[in-house]
Amino acid sequence: MNLMQPFSTYLDLESGVITPVDHVIRRHLSDMCHMYADESAAQRILETEGDRLIYEVYPVDLPEEEGQVLHSTTVLHPGRVGSEYHMTKGHFHVKRDRAEIYVGLAGEGCLLMQTGDGRVSSVKMARGIIAYVPPYWAHRTVNTGDVPFAFLAAWPGDSGHDYGTIETRGFAKILVERGGVPVFVDNPKYRIEDRERA
Ligand code: PAN
Ligand code: ZN
């Protein structure tokens, strides 16, 4: 048995920043412009203001293997691309039956979930809310407020991340601003799997 030493890290509950971390993952608009419904709005932002930082992930350094509990925080910055609120890329776990918990720390947002056969669900997130992502649900977070939305996530070490499925198909619903409030609308870019259409 390869015995690990117990350890701790520090989580700043106000900002969502974990220290120490080996490497912070930063996702900019250019990493995901095709994921927003209004791609021309994304292009305009890139041309006029440059490459906007959408979110940062602070992962605690652990081996991605069965038995571990991986955990990280995400800080999702406020803003919109066209009328669509800033969001994470979103993913399924490679092992589809691996669940996850999200704990809201700061700001407010929405946890959007979707199954492989197109069922959708969502949970409103704020400081103190524990959201459960059951096995088989893809998940994406959206910042619907005007301050950074931060949350802690924990998931099994052997889950793996499948980004490709969401990259090609998208989520069925998107969150857009209408009259100052977030509303769900159908994603015009959503692609149902061919076998679901049949
Ligand atoms: C989270 C996410 C994090 C960033 O830790 O990885 O919020 O979102 P994307 O991974 O979709 O870019 C998680 O769900 N881990 O499994
Ligand atoms: Zn996940």
Side-chain angles (χ1 to χ4, degrees):
M1 187 177 51
N2 193 3
L3 195 62
M4 274 178 71
Q5 279 305 308
F7 69 96
S8 64
T9 50
Y10 177 72
L11 165 59
D12 183 315
L13 293 167
E14 305 304 316
S15 66
V17 172
I18 291 179
T19 40
V21 279
D22 254 19
H23 67 291
V24 182
I25 300 162
R26 292 195 171 85
R27 299 286 181 224
H28 292 84
L29 181 58
S30 63
D31 299 316
M32 54 187 303
C33 20
H34 58 287
M35 292 187 146
Y36 288 95
D38 188 350
E39 243 174 276
S40 57
Q43 284 308 327
R44 267 196 310 279
I45 292 169
L46 290 174
E47 281 156 25
T48 55
E49 76 174 64
D51 203 1
R52 193 188 271 183
L53 177 64
I54 308 281
Y55 62 103
E56 296 160 273
V57 181
Y58 296 83
V60 173
D61 189 28
L62 281 165
E64 296 195 18
E65 59 190 33
E66 188 182 355
Q68 302 287 352
V69 179
L70 303 182
H71 50 291
S72 70
T73 52
T74 301
V75 180
L76 183 49
H77 295 286
R80 291 192 305 269
V81 175
S83 58
E84 191 174 4
Y85 293 95
H86 282 182
M87 61 190 182
T88 57
K89 289 182 163 197
H91 58 266
F92 281 96
H93 291 155
V94 174
K95 291 193 175 168
R96 293 288 198 268
D97 63 354
R98 298 305 195 257
E100 181 156 359
I101 56 165
Y102 277 23
V103 183
L105 302 172
E108 59 191 87
C110 179
L111 168 59
L112 252 179
M113 288 165 282
Q114 177 168 313
T115 60
D117 59 5
R119 269 171 280 191
V120 294
S121 186
S122 67
V123 170
K124 253 188 122 170
M125 294 291 296
R127 183 178 179 81
I129 304 263
I130 304 175
Y132 189 60
V133 182
Y136 302 107
W137 289 82
H139 37 287
R140 157 180 287 166
T141 44
V142 184
N143 185 341
T144 52
D146 23 83
V147 295
F149 164 41
F151 60 90
L152 171 71
W155 67 98
D158 61 347
S159 303
H161 289 91
D162 165 16
Y163 289 100
T165 306
I166 294 300
E167 252 162 35
T168 51
R169 293 178 52 197
F171 271 74
K173 297 282 179 186
I174 57 172
L175 264 166
V176 297
E177 184 262 344
R178 294 267 193 278
V181 294
V183 295
F184 288 101
V185 297
D186 288 339
N187 182 0
K189 288 172 133 186
Y190 177 55
R191 283 175 45 201
I192 306 169
E193 255 176 39
D194 288 342
R195 63 183 164 81
E196 285 166 30
R197 256 194 224 109

